[in-house]
Amino acid sequence: MSHNVPLLIDGEFLPSSTTQFIDVTNPANNEVIAQAPCATDAEMERAIASAAEAFKSWKEVPVSERARLMMRYQALLKEHHDELAEILSQETGKTFADAKGDVWRGIEVVEQAINMPALMMGETVENVARSIDTSSFIQPLGVCVGITPFNFPAMIPLWMFPMAIAAGNTFILKPSEQDPMTPIRLAELFIEAGAPKGVLNVVHGGKDQVDILLNHKETKAVSFVGSVPVGQYIYKTATGNMKRAQCFAGAKNHTVIMPDANKAQVLNNLVGASVGAAGQRCMAISVAVFVGDSKEWISELKPLFEEVSPGLWNDEKAAYGPLISPKAKARVLELIQQGKEQGANCLVDGSDFTLPGYESGNWVGPTLFTDVTKEMAIYQEEIFGPVLCCMCVDTLEEALELVNSNPYGNGTSIFTGSGAAARKYQHEVEVGQVGINVPIPVPLPFFSFTGWKNSFYGDLHAYGKQAARFYTETKTVTSRWFEDDIPTGPNMTINLR
Ligand code: NAD
C-alpha cells in the first residue's frame, strides 16, 4: 500500500494538493511504497511565510529554552531509534544496522545543538577606549533552507535544522524525493518534542521547489548536500541572490597503503569502507593506492570481496543492500563496463549479481578493479557504487601527488606504522578530512565536516562551531555611559580617547 508523504506547513502535516507525484520505491524490488508530492507554488509560499512569521517570536526565545527543545528531541529520537531505522531501511535498502548508524550520527548532531548557548557566546572588551566597552552578540539570520540527498536521509537533515533552529532561525527542509519518509518522521518527532508551529517546515519535490527557495526574498541561508552539478548550481544561484550558502558535493576518496602497515587491518578496512552501504557514502573509499611492496596484498583482497554478500535490510548476514534506484544501478554498471573496456583488470565483477526472489531490485555485487590509471573513467568519475579501484605507486610522494591532483577533497586515509609518514601525509595532503589508520574519518559533531575542493562550495562547514557561525550573524556594540555632565565640544577626529 503506498501513501502520499505529507508536507509540514505551519505546524500541520497535510497532504499536498498537487497533481504531480514522484514514486518512492523499495530498492530491493522497485515496488512503489509511497509517493512524494511536488509541493505547489502556493504551498511553497505558505511554508516560507510560516517560517518568516515564526522567526519573529522564535528568535526571542532564550537560547537555553531552545536548547531544551533539542534535549527533548534527542530523547525522542533515541526512543524511536529502531522505528526510524526501519523506515529508513525500507526506502533506502540499507541494512538495519547501517540504518541505525545513519540515525545515530544524526542524534549526535542534535546533542551538539544542545550546546548552542555556549556556541552563541560573544566577546567583550572593557575599556576599548577610556570608559568605552565593546561587546559582540551572535544573532540568528532568519529563514534557513536545507536541501538534502538520498544517501543519509536521517543524518544529513539532522546536520542542518537542529543547529539552525537552536541558533534561533526557522527552517524549511526539502529532503530527497527518493526517500522522504524518514525526514518526515524526523519532523513529526520534532513537533512532538514541542517545536512551535512554523519553526520547521518540510516541503517535497525537486528542482522547481528548490528554485522557489533559492529565489525567495525571505530565505537567508541555504545548506545543500548532493552531487557536484547540483551543488554548483545551488551555490551560484543562492550566492547570486546574495544569500549565504554551504554546498557539500561529490567525492573520490583515496586510501594510501604503506608497506609497513598492518596487512590484516588494511584488507578488512578496505572491504568495509569501499562496499559498505553499497558504496553510497560520500566518505566511502573508492581508490586504494598501494605504495611499493604493499601491492603484493591486492590479490588477497579478491577472496574477501568474493565473500561479501548483499541482501535484504532485515537479513542480519547481509553486508549491504541494493542501490537506491534503477538509474543509479545503470550508471554504476556503465562505469564498470567502461573500466573493463579501458583496460582495467576486473578481479571481482559484481555486474551480474542479483538476489534470488528480488531480481527486479537495484543490486550490484562487490566489484574490485586493479591496474587502474588516472585517465580511466572509473578513476575520474564518482561511481557511488560498491566498487574499489586499486592503483600502485612507488613512493609516498607519488601517492600524495596523485591524491592532490584529484579535483575532489572530501576524505582520505593512510595506513602505516610510521609516524613520520603519517605526519607528512596529514600535513601535505590537500583533502579536508584525513584518517590515520582510520579508513573513513568522519569527524564527530563537536568538530565540523570539512570537505575541500570540489567536495564543498562555501566557507563555513556543517555542524560544530562552524555551523553555529554559518547560521548566525555577529553584531558588535560599542557603548559609553556618561557619569557626569562633562562639557565637551563636537569631536572631529576618529580617535575616541
Ligand atoms: P542530487 O544532487 O541528485 O540531489 C540532492 C538534492 O538536490 C535532492 O534534494 C534533489 O531533489 C535536489 N536536486 C536534484 N536536482 C536538482 C536541480 N537540478 N536543482 C535543484 N535541486 C536539485 O544528489 P543525490 O543523488 O541525492 O546524492 C548523492 C550525491 O550526494 C553524491 O554525489 C554524494 O557524493 C553527495 N553527497 C555528498 C556529501 C558530502 O558531505 N560532501 C554527503 C552525502 C552525499
Side-chain angles (χ1 to χ4, degrees):
M1 264 298 268
S2 73
H3 74 282
N4 295 343
V5 184
L7 308 170
L8 168 60
I9 299 180
D10 207 31
E12 272 187 82
F13 291 90
L14 33 102
S16 171
S17 59
T18 185
T19 50
Q20 271 184 296
F21 292 91
I22 301 164
D23 286 343
V24 180
T25 53
N26 170 0
N29 57 12
N30 282 310
E31 271 174 20
V32 177
I33 51 175
Q35 287 190 308
C38 297
T40 63
D41 289 3
E43 287 162 347
M44 293 300 298
E45 199 56 51
R46 277 183 48 223
I48 297 168
S50 165
E53 185 60 28
F55 178 62
K56 292 180 192 159
S57 48
W58 184 244
K59 68 178 179 182
E60 302 302 339
V61 171
V63 64
S64 49
E65 267 183 51
R66 299 197 302 251
R68 264 177 232 129
L69 168 65
M70 296 303 159
M71 289 179 203
R72 292 192 297 275
Y73 190 40
Q74 185 258 17
L76 271 178
L77 289 171
K78 282 174 78 176
E79 198 181 311
H80 292 267
H81 193 164
D82 283 7
E83 178 215 325
L84 281 161
E86 194 169 326
I87 299 170
L88 197 155
S89 285
Q90 281 163 5
E91 59 182 350
T92 62
K94 280 190 191 187
T95 63
F96 186 56
D98 206 33
K100 282 185 75 168
D102 188 331
V103 177
W104 180 251
R105 296 310 294 254
I107 291 175
E108 288 179 325
V109 185
V110 178
E111 288 170 356
Q112 178 64 13
I114 295 168
N115 195 29
M116 194 53 75
L119 291 171
M120 288 191 79
M121 287 170 76
E123 295 167 320
T124 307
V125 173
E126 197 183 38
N127 270 353
V128 289
R130 283 186 178 74
S131 300
I132 296 183
D133 306 329
T134 299
S135 313
S136 64
F137 294 88
I138 308 295
Q139 296 193 342
L141 301 174
V143 179
C144 299
V145 167
I147 299 149
T148 54
F150 78 83
N151 68 329
F152 283 101
M155 178 183 84
I156 293 180
L158 291 173
W159 278 8
M160 298 176 183
F161 74 81
M163 292 296 286
I165 290 174
N169 302 284
T170 54
F171 204 86
I172 301 174
L173 175 67
K174 204 301 285 170
S176 169
E177 64 282 16
Q178 299 191 82
D179 45 18
M181 297 195 298
T182 307
I184 207 76
R185 186 70 190 121
L186 293 176
E188 282 169 0
L189 294 172
F190 195 53
I191 298 294
E192 201 177 319
K197 70 176 186 179
V199 165
L200 174 67
N201 296 272
V202 183
V203 292
H204 302 292
K207 181 178 186 331
D208 291 349
Q209 287 66 29
V210 170
D211 280 344
I212 292 174
L213 296 170
L214 298 181
N215 290 309
H216 202 285
K217 67 177 181 356
E218 285 291 354
T219 59
K220 306 297 180 208
V222 178
S223 301
F224 164 85
V225 180
S227 60
V228 163
V230 182
Q232 290 184 342
Y233 167 73
I234 288 183
Y235 189 73
K236 283 185 195 159
T237 312
T239 55
N241 285 334
M242 304 302 168
K243 298 182 196 302
R244 208 173 268 202
Q246 49 171 201
C247 296
F248 301 81
K252 194 82 185 172
N253 305 312
H254 301 67
T255 285
V256 171
I257 298 120
M258 300 300 289
D260 61 4
N262 177 316
K263 183 172 80 172
Q265 292 289 359
V266 167
L267 297 178
N268 287 327
N269 275 296
L270 275 180
V271 179
S274 57
V275 306
Q280 297 179 120
R281 291 181 181 137
C282 59
M283 287 289 278
I285 294 299
S286 50
V287 184
V289 185
F290 290 86
V291 178
D293 291 343
S294 71
K295 63 176 175 289
E296 308 299 332
W297 306 345
I298 297 178
S299 59
E300 294 181 48
L301 274 174
K302 187 171 186 278
L304 297 178
F305 266 65
E306 284 166 343
E307 270 167 29
V308 172
S309 59
L312 296 178
W313 71 272
N314 52 1
D315 173 359
E316 280 181 17
K317 291 200 274 321
Y320 63 82
L323 297 183
I324 189 72
S325 64
K327 192 172 153 209
K329 173 175 169 167
R331 195 175 166 280
V332 172
L333 294 188
E334 166 69 26
L335 280 162
I336 294 176
Q337 185 57 30
Q338 283 186 41
K340 293 180 203 162
E341 286 166 10
Q342 292 175 352
N345 180 12
C346 194
L347 275 188
V348 182
D349 184 356
S351 309
D352 294 331
F353 176 87
T354 191
L355 193 71
Y358 291 84
E359 288 79 3
S360 54
N362 315 316
W363 305 98
V364 177
T367 300
L368 179 64
F369 276 110
T370 62
D371 304 318
V372 175
T373 62
K374 269 176 91 166
E375 295 69 36
M376 294 176 181
I378 48 171
Y379 179 73
Q380 293 192 349
E381 302 274 321
E382 179 183 38
I383 303 178
F384 227 52
V387 181
L388 179 65
C389 296
C390 297
M391 301 172 84
C392 298
V393 296
D394 293 327
T395 62
L396 177 58
E397 282 73 16
E398 277 178 58
L400 270 163
E401 206 178 298
L402 176 74
V403 178
N404 287 349
S405 64
N406 191 280
Y408 293 104
N410 218 30
T412 186
S413 47
I414 182 167
F415 279 80
T416 180
S418 154
R423 171 64 173 71
K424 181 178 170 67
Y425 192 74
Q426 77 173 42
H427 184 63
E428 293 183 20
V429 76
E430 290 161 14
V431 173
Q433 302 175 101
V434 183
I436 295 170
N437 298 319
V438 171
I440 303 189
V442 178
L444 284 177
F446 22 91
F447 291 90
S448 297
F449 189 91
T450 54
W452 284 11
K453 300 199 283 192
N454 262 0
S455 299
F456 179 69
Y457 309 111
D459 313 283
L460 293 165
H461 293 88
Y463 56 76
K465 289 181 195 146
Q466 296 202 19
R469 288 289 167 269
F470 179 76
Y471 291 121
T472 56
E473 195 60 275
T474 305
K475 181 183 278 176
T476 45
V477 177
T478 299
S479 55
R480 164 156 58 180
W481 293 96
F482 300 101
E483 283 181 30
D484 308 304
D485 269 350
I486 306 166
T488 53
N491 186 354
M492 298 299 176
T493 67
I494 199 171
N495 192 343
L496 289 168
R497 276 185 302 150

